[in-house]
Amino acid sequence: MQVLVRDNNVDQALRVLKKKLQREGIFREMRMREAFEKPSVKRAREKAEAVSRQRKNARKQMQREGLLPAPKKKPGK
């Protein structure tokens, strides 16, 4: 992974690097590898994540089809 530092602006380069690492899931994986996870716990967690992903995808699909109202936008953005 590579980040360019422009005009000696290291703070901006650090922000860009952190954002890239976040998108790649590096921080999450580091947290997961800090301690041993029993196989049964790992299976349960992965199954729960899969169910959550499926529900999210189904919710988005229903919103696209007009069966559910779209989420409300947060003011200020």
Side-chain angles (χ1 to χ4, degrees):
M1 193 169 299
Q2 184 176 3
V3 177
L4 297 176
V5 179
R6 295 185 182 146
D7 300 327
N8 289 329
N9 194 347
V10 178
D11 292 330
Q12 182 183 4
L14 272 175
R15 265 186 270 132
V16 171
L17 177 64
K18 284 182 182 179
K19 193 176 284 189
K20 282 186 177 185
L21 292 173
Q22 182 72 35
R23 256 188 251 127
E24 293 291 322
I26 303 293
F27 292 130
R28 185 170 189 262
E29 185 160 346
M30 282 174 32
R31 230 180 301 119
M32 296 301 300
R33 289 178 184 238
E34 282 180 358
F36 179 73
E37 185 177 22
K38 288 173 36 178
S40 60
V41 174
K42 183 177 180 180
R43 273 194 305 273
R45 177 183 51 80
E46 287 176 348
K47 186 170 184 175
E49 288 173 357
V51 168
S52 174
R53 270 194 313 273
Q54 285 180 335
R55 284 184 180 159
K56 183 178 179 179
N57 288 337
R59 188 170 45 248
K60 283 187 173 186
Q61 182 67 31
M62 289 177 74
Q63 287 173 351
R64 274 189 240 117
E65 293 173 356
L67 300 174
L68 282 178
K72 294 178 182 172
K73 302 278 183 179
K74 293 181 182 177
K77 286 195 172 186

